[in-house]
Amino acid sequence: MKRIYTLDIFKIVLTVLVVFHHFQQVLNVHFDGVNFYGGTIDMYPILELFFLISGFMCGPALAKILDENFGKFFIKKAIRIYPMVIVSILTSSVIMVLYYHTTGAWFFDIAVTFWRVFSSALLLTTGGPFANGLAINPPLWYLCVLIYCYIILYFIVWLSKKLSISPMIGAGFMVVLGACIVSYGWSFPFFTSETGRGYSSFFLGLIVYNMWLKLSHRGLTIYGIIMTAICAFGFVYKFEYIQSNQREVMAYMLWPALMFVGLAAQNLFKLKIWGILSAISFEVYIWHFVGLLFMAFLGVKYGYTYPPTHKTMIIFLLSLWAFSAIMYYLVEKPLTKKLKKRLGI
């Protein structure tokens, strides 16, 4: 499947929104006017669109997943995710220890222990067998759940082949299961609110891909435009009908509709720069909490104060993006290439 740059644009915009959301949350900043944390509209369901896109991108390779054993399948996913996660966790740990020795308190109440560093680096802190609380780098919970989704996807395809049924049956089951986990507040290993959000949206993305593959593009585009318009109207003019179910409206109504609109518009965006910025946005996501931690450390260590303005937030974003570009080209790409060569992938 050719690269779909509209999906790259979605990921870039979502990453910016996540950075703005956590900038206000972590640094306890509130603006007059538009707020990305503590505002009228909840920003946290934007992660559902990340999961949706991730599931969609697995669609083209679905038929070939079983061409390789599970170990090789997992290693390919792990090489993309774990190296920079581990680097960010180690960096965060050092800064957090310095913060603790400066203030006598742990930043964001996250104590650095041997187990927390180890489990955070292996992405075992959220939704899995260990109830560890926040990870050293909390936003990485998304990647914890994404790993589980990849593993479940492999075994859904394997079981579907054994039973001679469509993998979409398993995907549909996971969407319903994820929705139930969130709606009924389940709290068991691998059945938490975070995993429920991931399961329902990731496997919905797989279904969206299958729909785009087999159904009328014209019909899906019309549906996407109408549903996006309805949701936009609701958020702007009839918010009281959405307020108590913002996550559900975004995850199951707005995001799939936007996906169909984005897919229909893919021929309008062909510049490779979108793909490059999207690749760098992965580094932005991994490092943005570390950047906020570093800002907070400088503040307590040297008495720096940061004006609580949109300008400060944008300067942070641009600085973070420049740093992430350096990490992408000088660390992530060479490291990934070396690991692939060493493992023969």
Side-chain angles (χ1 to χ4, degrees):
M1 184 179 72
K2 66 178 183 179
R3 192 171 189 102
I4 302 174
Y5 290 119
T6 47
L7 300 188
D8 288 323
I9 293 172
F10 284 166
K11 288 191 285 186
I12 294 166
V13 173
L14 289 174
T15 301
V16 170
L17 292 176
V18 168
V19 172
F20 286 173
H21 175 76
H22 287 143
F23 180 92
Q24 289 195 248
Q25 180 186 20
V26 174
L27 299 183
N28 194 27
V29 174
H30 186 83
F31 300 131
D32 293 330
V34 177
N35 283 278
F36 300 91
Y37 176 77
T40 303
I41 297 177
D42 288 333
M43 287 287 107
Y44 81 93
I46 60 181
L47 267 295
E48 270 74 349
L49 185 48
F50 270 127
F51 281 115
L52 194 74
I53 294 172
S54 297
F56 180 93
M57 296 307 296
C58 287
L62 206 61
K64 298 181 179 179
I65 282 181
L66 297 183
D67 289 350
E68 52 194 17
N69 60 42
F70 174 74
K72 191 170 183 180
F73 167 81
F74 182 78
I75 287 173
K76 284 184 176 180
K77 301 298 184 185
I79 285 177
R80 173 72 179 99
I81 294 174
Y82 276 104
M84 298 312 299
V85 164
I86 294 172
V87 173
S88 77
I89 293 297
L90 295 177
T91 305
S92 297
S93 300
V94 171
I95 301 174
M96 281 186 168
V97 170
L98 293 174
Y99 184 95
Y100 176 78
H101 283 291
T102 301
T103 66
W106 291 107
F107 182 74
F108 230 59
D109 202 28
I110 303 173
V112 176
T113 64
F114 288 160
W115 174 247
R116 179 165 268 160
V117 173
F118 180 76
S119 59
S120 296
L122 292 182
L123 296 175
L124 295 174
T125 52
T126 301
F130 307 107
N132 294 329
L134 291 176
I136 298 293
N137 188 348
L140 298 189
W141 75 264
Y142 159 70
L143 296 176
C144 293
V145 177
L146 186 61
I147 288 289
Y148 303 150
C149 290
Y150 286 142
I151 294 171
I152 293 170
L153 173 63
Y154 185 91
F155 286 102
I156 282 178
V157 176
W158 174 83
L159 183 60
S160 299
K161 185 175 181 180
K162 289 288 184 181
L163 299 177
S164 298
I165 60 176
S166 169
M168 291 304 106
I169 296 176
F173 173 80
M174 291 305 300
V175 173
V176 174
L177 176 63
C180 290
I181 292 171
V182 176
S183 297
Y184 291 93
W186 296 5
S187 185
F188 306 99
F190 303 105
F191 297 92
T192 66
S193 61
E194 295 89 356
T195 60
R197 291 173 61 189
Y199 297 161
S200 58
S201 295
F202 178 90
F203 289 97
L204 181 58
L206 202 63
I207 293 172
V208 167
Y209 171 80
N210 198 59
M211 292 173 68
W212 189 255
L213 187 67
K214 296 182 177 181
L215 301 181
S216 164
H217 287 188
R218 177 183 173 86
L220 292 174
T221 301
I222 292 172
Y223 166 81
I225 293 172
I226 292 175
M227 182 58 70
T228 300
I230 290 173
C231 291
F233 176 82
F235 274 105
V236 175
Y237 297 107
K238 294 291 181 181
F239 188 64
E240 63 273 20
Y241 296 146
I242 290 177
Q243 189 168 10
S244 60
N245 300 104
Q246 291 187 56
R247 194 198 78 84
E248 288 76 14
V249 170
M250 291 183 186
Y252 307 125
M253 297 172 65
L254 180 58
W255 297 153
L258 274 179
M259 285 285 286
F260 290 133
V261 173
L263 291 169
Q266 61 183 287
N267 290 330
L268 300 177
F269 301 90
K270 296 182 178 181
L271 296 178
K272 292 184 179 180
I273 185 65
W274 300 119
I276 295 172
L277 291 175
S278 176
I280 296 173
S281 73
F282 178 72
E283 289 292 330
V284 173
Y285 185 89
I286 286 177
W287 288 101
H288 75 277
F289 181 84
V290 186
L292 294 171
L293 166 63
F294 186 63
M295 283 181 65
F297 171 69
L298 292 180
V300 298
K301 180 70 174 179
Y302 301 105
Y304 294 158
T305 57
Y306 306 99
T309 63
H310 288 96
K311 181 180 179 180
T312 304
M313 186 169 67
I314 292 172
I315 291 173
F316 171 76
L317 173 69
L318 296 176
S319 302
L320 176 66
W321 214 283
F323 172 82
S324 298
I326 294 171
M327 295 300 292
Y328 174 69
Y329 283 108
L330 299 185
V331 182
E332 180 187 336
K333 289 189 73 175
L335 183 58
T336 302
K337 183 179 180 180
K338 187 175 293 186
L339 287 172
K340 286 183 176 180
K341 184 178 180 180
R342 179 68 63 87
L343 296 171
I345 295 176

